[in-house]
Amino acid sequence: MAEKITHLTFDALKSIVENKDGTTQYYVQILNVEAKSDIILKSGSMSQCTCSDGFAKMKMQILNLSPSTLASISKYKPIIKIQGLMMKSSFYIITKHEVIYLDKGPVGQPYEYDEYKQMNYTNPNGNTEIQFAKAPHTLSLNSNKKQSILLQQSKQTNENINSDQQQGKSAIKLSIQQKQQQSKPAIQKIEHQNQYPTSDQNLLKISELYPGMRGFKIKGRITTKTDITQFKSGKGNLFSIEIIDSEKSTIQGVFFNAQCDRFYKEIEIGKVYYFENGQVKTNRYSSKNQNQSEYQIHFEEASKISQALEDQQIDAFPFNITTIGDIDNLQLDDKCDVLGVITEVKPLTQITTKSGENKAKKNITIFDQTQRGIDIVLWGTQAEKWQFQKDEIVAFRGLKVTDYQAIRSLTVTNSTTYEKDISKLQKINKFLEFSQFYNENKDFIESKPKESKKKFALSYIEQIKKDFEGQRNNKLTKFYEIKAYITTIFSKSMFYTACENCKRKVTEVPQTKLYHCQNCNQNYPIPSYKYFFSAKIADTTGNLTVNVSNDQGQSILKLACEDFVKQNQREDIIKRATFQQFRFLIIAKMETYNDEIKPRFQVQSIIQDDVVSDNEELYNQIQQMLNIKTE
């Protein structure tokens, strides 16, 4: 049974320095890290710290302090158990330790050890008692247990006095209070007068939680709850929730294994609960979520969750709407909430992932007051179970931003939720603005084009080459919008035989005269034909060789590939396409080919000229130049 440590070891430093006792396991506090040693041992690196026993303090070397411990020292003072100690002259190295608490404040007002020694090992301001946060509810012992513990404490006190008298001054002196505490049972086993209190006293706010904290009580509403998922190793499972409190602060709660089984069926989305005890940790993914706390709670065996009465002060709809027009300003994998009207619901499809797993997929398109549309991709059970209809108004919470070939889209995550109830949607920010737009334009939304492509500033070939010159980063990918002429189309290989379904290359089987697709495992008597060729483009700053795929090839040659294959005068078609100016969207990325990393440039799309937009951009540039000259 784990014992709760309530005191530092009395005169621990005196015992170490004067008695050279390195075998006893001492409880001490780290007050600060003064420097990181340059000495690198086989077993790790050392940190020079100031350690205290509540009465005295001195410098000690600690081997392999964890990053979380180092990070907490500046604000809190970690308490550790010394499990291994090396001593040489006045040099003390803690070779092995265990962190007991990360979140406690300073214990006592210790003197420097030399001063403590000059004071004949006395310190009127010294103390060994560790301060704990006040318990959020009252604990009580039944009379039999209380009597038994008091009897044990009395007996133990007498034994301590006799022991100290026999051992003399050189013995290690543990505080009587610490020895009393060692006889107590673990706090989890003490019987509660009220197991699930419903009082709001001693509540903390989510904003008051900090890493390492375990004893707390908060009140909040569950806004999201994920399905139970298995670890990739298959040796455990988990689910998570999001909690919001009356200050609109949110924090993620995570349940592993036994706690996953214990709590999953007991809690429901939308209800208010008291959450007691657990371990507060830093949330590694908070930077990707615009609403989420930088911490998360890992619920443990000592955790308790009890339902509270409905609280109108706790927001039930914590949406923070981002308009579709503003999604261009977000980074990949950022999370956002959106509100709009559904303009298209595509049929459910089954796809095969790279890992060979079959997965359901469904796309819907929503449109909002910025007159922009965007696709939302649903996967798995969400694609199968979530039902949407065209012209429905819906708000999604917790969508992830994705960017495939310069086209922005949103995808659901395990924690995504949605709301279609108009009475609830009216409480969401920006609903009034959207509602006004929708009422005025609902008859014309169908005719408005979907626009989810990210816009790029006009660039030049010289800039593309400069950005990729000497690059060795094989993950580098950039998009450029340029105006250029096609100077050469390399006609040696301009198309390939393709599968009608997946568009991948098919091969002819000589024995059957059929074309076989390995991806679909299908045979076709006649293949489909798709463009894929190289071309050289040029602008006023230079030239660039690019790859052109089927849709773009058809726009350049003004002819479908199926018809191009049948032509006898292909050279004439190619000549007509050269020295034509186009506005290209180029995707440039580093790729490894035959163990060589080099850039590859692909025509992603051919953009229709927008004369009005181009003239406005040119006008703004001229105005900016004139203002600079005037200043």
Side-chain angles (χ1 to χ4, degrees), residues 425-485:
L425 289 174
Q426 289 171 349
K427 301 177 182 178
I428 296 175
N429 65 315
K430 296 191 180 177
F431 179 80
L432 182 60
E433 180 186 346
F434 169 77
S435 180
Q436 285 179 322
F437 163 81
Y438 180 69
N439 291 331
E440 293 170 3
N441 296 274
K442 60 183 176 182
D443 295 331
F444 308 101
I445 285 177
E446 183 65 28
S447 63
K448 293 180 183 294
K450 184 183 77 170
E451 184 188 357
S452 57
K453 288 190 177 182
K454 186 175 180 180
K455 293 184 177 180
F456 299 90
L458 199 62
S459 189
Y460 300 93
I461 289 175
E462 181 183 42
Q463 184 64 48
I464 299 174
K465 288 186 170 182
K466 184 178 178 181
D467 289 349
F468 280 80
E469 184 179 3
Q471 280 288 345
R472 305 297 297 170
N473 178 11
N474 60 1
K475 293 184 178 180
L476 179 64
T477 301
K478 287 190 173 184
F479 292 90
Y480 300 90
E481 192 172 310
I482 63 171
K483 271 188 173 182
Y485 289 89

Side-chain angles (χ1 to χ4, degrees), residues 531-578:
Y531 286 118
F532 191 82
F533 57 86
S534 296
K536 186 173 284 187
I537 62 174
D539 65 7
T540 56
T541 66
N543 59 69
L544 189 71
T545 300
V546 296
N547 293 326
V548 180
S549 54
N550 186 65
D551 292 344
Q552 292 70 47
Q554 187 169 316
S555 298
I556 291 169
L557 297 171
K558 305 290 192 295
L559 192 66
C561 190
E562 304 283 352
D563 297 326
F564 179 81
V565 171
K566 299 173 185 176
Q567 298 294 321
N568 294 324
Q569 304 298 324
R570 296 177 187 172
E571 289 299 324
D572 293 339
I573 298 171
I574 293 171
K575 283 181 182 178
R576 285 199 299 268
T578 54

Side-chain angles (χ1 to χ4, degrees), residues 67-99:
S68 60
T69 306
L70 285 167
S72 66
I73 290 174
S74 60
K75 187 174 182 180
Y76 307 106
K77 310 303 177 187
I79 292 170
I80 64 170
K81 176 166 72 172
I82 299 176
Q83 297 175 314
L85 184 64
M86 289 176 57
M87 294 174 285
K88 187 173 182 181
S89 183
S90 60
F91 199 67
Y92 305 94
I93 304 175
I94 299 173
T95 57
K96 187 177 180 183
H97 70 279
E98 177 188 350
V99 177

Side-chain angles (χ1 to χ4, degrees), residues 486-533:
I486 294 179
T487 59
T488 307
I489 294 176
F490 299 102
S491 58
K492 185 177 179 180
S493 175
M494 293 189 62
F495 56 85
Y496 67 96
T497 53
C499 173
E500 293 178 2
N501 294 325
C502 68
K503 316 303 180 189
R504 295 189 182 182
K505 188 173 182 179
V506 296
T507 54
E508 186 179 10
V509 181
Q511 294 85 349
T512 61
K513 302 295 183 182
L514 297 175
Y515 292 86
H516 179 70
C517 175
Q518 288 186 339
N519 184 59
C520 301
N521 196 25
Q522 295 287 329
N523 293 318
Y524 302 97
I526 301 174
S528 177
Y529 292 93
K530 302 295 178 187
Y531 286 118
F532 191 82
F533 57 86

Side-chain angles (χ1 to χ4, degrees), residues 347-362 377-384 411-414:
L348 184 72
T349 59
Q350 294 289 332
I351 66 163
T352 303
T353 63
K354 291 181 180 179
S355 61
E357 178 188 3
N358 287 327
K359 209 168 188 180
K361 178 186 176 185
K362 181 163 63 179
V377 186
L378 282 65
W379 296 95
T381 55
Q382 292 159 318
E384 294 170 338
T411 185
V412 298
T413 67
N414 205 13

